Amino acid sequence: MVDAKEKNMKCLTFFLMLPETVKNRSKKGPKKASSGSSSSSKLPPVCYEIITLKNRKKKKMAAEIFPSKKPANNNSNSAQQYHQQNLTNNNTIPSPNWQGLYGTIRERNSVMFNNELMADVHFVVGPPSGTQRLPGHKYVLAVGSSVFHAMFYGELAEDKEEIRIPDVEPAAFLAMLKYLYCDEIDLAADTVLATLYAAKKYIVPHLARACVNFLETSLSAKNACVLLSQSCLFEEPDLTQRCWEVIDAQAELALKSEGFCDIDFQTLESILKRETLNAKEIVVFEAALCWAEVECQRQELTPSIENKRKVLGKALYLIRIPTMALDDFANGAAQSGVLTLNETNDIFLWYTAAKKPDLEFVSKPRKGLVPQRCHRFQSCAYRSNQWRYRGRCDSIQFSVDKRVFVAGFGLYGSSCGSAEYSAKIELKRQGVILGQNLSKYFSDGSSNTFPVWFEYPVQIEPDTFYTASVVLDGNELSYFGQEGMTEVQCGKVTVQFQCSSDSTNGTGVQGGQIPELIFYA
């Protein structure tokens, strides 16, 4: 028996020392070798990771995004030297005894990601013009997705060696596979929507949730309309609500964005119907015409006035043209050519006649949004030698616990009679200017605050300090705030204040200028 054991050990040792190509021949079926496979046996084992996502960010484990009660113990330091990022290098076979180099099942599973070794299924992913053939392992896929489980082990399972998936982008499919194999989530702005589609299609809920979280944190006026359309398609009500918050507060920026022209007709109607849209109606009208021009191109129609009106259809009457300022209507909508002669005449009569005609257009102004005011002082005062302005800056830092949109500041005015001020207001984050405006306001000599507005509301993210600044030019003596608060509860938003190094005129947490933040939430 001892001789037999020694003989078996010698055979096993000899087999492990054989070149990879010789070992492959010892398997039952012939296996087609790809180019470079002979040299790959000499390479150390590798872990394949996606690098097609443009922004190479710090990799996050799924456990970090969705923490469990018992965090996993990571002992991968000894194997990190073997890790290599490569999307298409899926033909490399790990060297003998590679399993011993990895301390956890997750690390060993990661070696199989995008790897031909032991692959028992292949996917041809992407449209016919850009397909990519990717290896897979049925057991791993079935453990991570109920759709794959039904596909490979269900009652109606088909034993196919190659599965075509034309409706999913290769980069998105690889991102999903990486999560299933490696328990890692890699997302970027240019692939996150496609990854969300793949996660929804194959019922991978944790990955889908991570995609939605990514979209919410990257949400802005530039992409809010497109994401609104996608969130409705994917049935993500929380993301839909976040999109509406941005569109309502920064309506003019959202309507002027390139993404607005990419939305579908149903989303266009929902935006034009929106009661709380915070925009001038002439901006809504011009945005609808831009959308119509692009829609004509999508439908391969000449972008003529007639075709623009045709693709808009009944959505044209959702634009509240009678609520425009008369100048905006006369110089804009009335001369656009989109309205018929009768419609133009009736709307002019609506502006001027005592007996107003019936109109198909909605004639009631939108409600818009009601701004909230966060007042940071408990009292105000004035003295004969304060508060003076000589080109110096009054500044304060603040942070919020929820996303808001700062529309402007409330400022104190003259303490010795009525006066006019010129105000340069600024909003910065880490030294970068996010919004600024130069405007004038009239002070009536009272201790009231007077609003000064940015051109567009500025999106403020939670848990980050921003710097609000103003340089005033006008009557030197004015009211100033006293008994300042470091934390103020304003509706459902908590605002914290701290002193700013940009302040050169005495304003701080305890007293000074900029008594109010005016915002939408």
Side-chain angles (χ1 to χ4, degrees):
M1 292 295 293
V2 174
D3 294 339
K5 287 183 179 179
E6 290 179 355
K7 183 178 181 181
N8 289 337
M9 288 298 295
K10 289 179 180 179
C11 292
L12 177 60
T13 303
F14 176 74
F15 180 78
L16 291 174
M17 293 173 63
L18 287 175
E20 196 69 20
T21 52
V22 177
K23 290 184 221 177
N24 288 339
R25 293 172 189 169
S26 66
K27 298 182 180 179
K28 290 184 178 180
K31 186 172 182 180
K32 184 178 179 180
S34 59
S35 60
S37 61
S38 60
S39 62
S40 63
S41 61
K42 300 178 182 179
L43 295 175
V46 295
C47 179
Y48 308 93
E49 299 182 3
I50 303 174
I51 60 169
T52 51
L53 306 181
K54 293 183 179 179
N55 298 328
R56 295 188 184 180
K57 299 181 179 179
K58 181 181 178 181
K59 304 296 184 295
K60 282 192 174 182
M61 302 302 298
E64 293 180 271
I65 299 177
F66 309 109
S68 58
K69 293 183 180 178
K70 296 181 180 180
N73 184 24
N74 186 2
N75 297 319
S76 61
N77 291 337
S78 61
Q80 284 180 356
Q81 56 182 317
Y82 299 112
H83 288 218
Q84 174 184 341
Q85 291 186 341
N86 196 322
L87 174 64
T88 58
N89 183 17
N90 56 15
N91 296 317
T92 301
I93 306 300
S95 62
N97 198 27
W98 60 268
Q99 294 90 339
L101 298 173
Y102 301 94
T104 66
I105 184 64
R106 184 194 65 79
E107 292 173 315
R108 293 190 290 274
N109 242 23
S110 298
V111 177
M112 294 295 99
F113 167 61
N114 199 22
N115 198 328
E116 290 287 353
L117 180 64
M118 295 186 286
D120 50 3
V121 67
H122 286 81
F123 301 95
V124 180
V125 186
S129 59
T131 59
Q132 191 168 342
R133 193 171 186 269
L134 304 172
H137 304 78
K138 293 181 180 180
Y139 170 75
V140 177
L141 299 173
V143 168
S145 162
S146 58
V147 174
F148 283 129
H149 181 273
M151 185 185 299
F152 300 136
Y153 301 106
E155 295 180 358
L156 301 178
E158 297 182 13
D159 190 16
K160 293 183 177 180
E161 294 185 359
E162 191 172 274
I163 299 172
R164 296 188 175 275
I165 307 176
D167 59 330
V168 178
E169 294 180 12
F173 195 79
L174 274 165
M176 182 180 68
L177 291 185
K178 184 169 187 179
Y179 169 73
L180 296 178
Y181 279 81
C182 309
D183 198 30
E184 294 182 20
I185 296 176
D186 269 331
L187 299 173
D190 57 344
T191 57
V192 63
L193 281 172
T195 305
L196 177 58
Y197 174 78
K200 288 278 188 177
K201 178 175 180 176
Y202 293 98
I203 311 181
V204 186
H206 292 288
L207 179 60
R209 193 180 311 150
C211 291
V212 172
N213 290 341
F214 182 95
L215 291 170
E216 287 183 358
T217 56
S218 60
L219 185 60
S220 69
K222 293 181 179 180
N223 59 21
C225 294
V226 173
L227 292 183
L228 174 67
S229 178
Q230 297 295 328
S231 66
C232 295
L233 176 65
F234 293 132
E235 297 181 347
E236 290 290 344
D238 291 340
L239 179 58
T240 300
Q241 178 59 32
R242 296 286 188 276
C243 291
W244 277 126
E245 290 173 2
V246 175
I247 293 171
D248 281 342
Q250 296 182 302
E252 294 195 2
L253 285 175
L255 293 172
K256 291 177 180 179
S257 68
E258 292 182 7
F260 178 78
C261 295
D262 295 329
I263 63 178
D264 58 276
F265 182 77
Q266 185 177 357
T267 305
L268 173 72
E269 283 189 311
S270 65
I271 292 175
L272 297 182
K273 289 178 183 177
R274 190 74 174 171
E275 191 69 31
T276 49
L277 209 60
N278 199 35
K280 296 178 180 178
E281 208 62 34
I282 185 63
V283 176
V284 179
F285 178 79
E286 291 171 349
L289 289 188
C290 289
W291 179 90
E293 183 173 350
V294 175
E295 181 64 15
C296 286
Q297 296 173 3
R298 283 193 286 263
Q299 296 187 21
E300 298 182 352
L301 299 172
T302 304
S304 61
I305 296 298
E306 294 77 14
N307 285 335
K308 288 181 183 179
R309 183 174 176 118
K310 177 183 177 182
V311 297
L312 281 171
K314 293 183 178 180
L316 177 64
Y317 298 106
L318 298 175
I319 305 171
R320 307 187 182 193
I321 295 178
T323 69
M324 291 181 185
L326 181 57
D327 288 347
D328 288 339
F329 173 71
N331 298 318
Q335 298 187 42
S336 66
V338 174
L339 304 179
T340 65
L341 184 59
N342 287 337
E343 288 170 345
T344 303
N345 289 337
D346 286 346
I347 294 173
F348 267 121
L349 288 174
W350 174 270
Y351 282 110
T352 57
K355 185 179 180 181
K356 301 185 183 299
D358 294 329
L359 299 174
E360 289 190 70
F361 295 93
V362 179
S363 57
K364 184 180 178 182
R366 301 179 196 271
K367 293 180 180 179
L369 294 176
V370 178
Q372 298 183 41
R373 293 176 178 246
C374 175
H375 199 90
R376 67 187 188 94
F377 295 125
Q378 299 181 65
S379 66
C380 68
Y382 71 90
R383 300 190 185 101
S384 59
N385 61 343
Q386 290 181 328
W387 195 269
R388 294 181 179 275
Y389 306 105
R390 294 175 180 173
R392 293 188 291 261
C393 178
D394 288 289
S395 183
I396 192 73
Q397 286 192 322
F398 70 94
S399 70
V400 293
D401 63 343
K402 293 181 177 62
R403 174 183 286 158
V404 301
F405 303 87
V406 171
F409 306 145
L411 302 177
Y412 287 124
S414 171
S415 60
C416 50
S418 60
E420 185 178 64
Y421 286 89
S422 173
K424 180 183 179 181
I425 59 173
E426 214 170 57
L427 193 57
K428 295 188 293 187
R429 177 182 179 180
Q430 297 177 349
V432 178
I433 297 176
L434 304 178
Q436 61 181 359
N437 199 16
L438 178 62
S439 61
K440 294 182 178 181
Y441 70 95
F442 181 78
S443 165
D444 59 7
S446 70
S447 60
N448 296 330
T449 59
F450 304 92
V452 180
W453 307 93
F454 290 105
E455 184 179 3
Y456 302 110
V458 180
Q459 181 170 311
I460 302 298
E461 297 298 335
D463 306 321
T464 301
F465 273 95
Y466 293 78
T467 304
S469 303
V470 60
V471 176
L472 289 170
D473 183 20
N475 195 325
E476 286 196 350
L477 296 178
S478 79
Y479 288 91
F480 59 91
Q482 296 184 132
E483 301 177 275
M485 297 173 284
T486 57
E487 183 173 298
V488 180
Q489 187 71 32
C490 188
K492 296 182 179 180
V493 180
T494 301
V495 186
Q496 293 184 334
F497 294 96
Q498 69 180 25
C499 293
S500 168
S501 59
D502 291 350
S503 188
T504 57
N505 198 43
T507 289
V509 174
Q510 296 301 319
Q513 256 287 7
I514 317 181
E516 286 182 336
L517 298 178
I518 306 173
F519 64 91
Y520 301 112

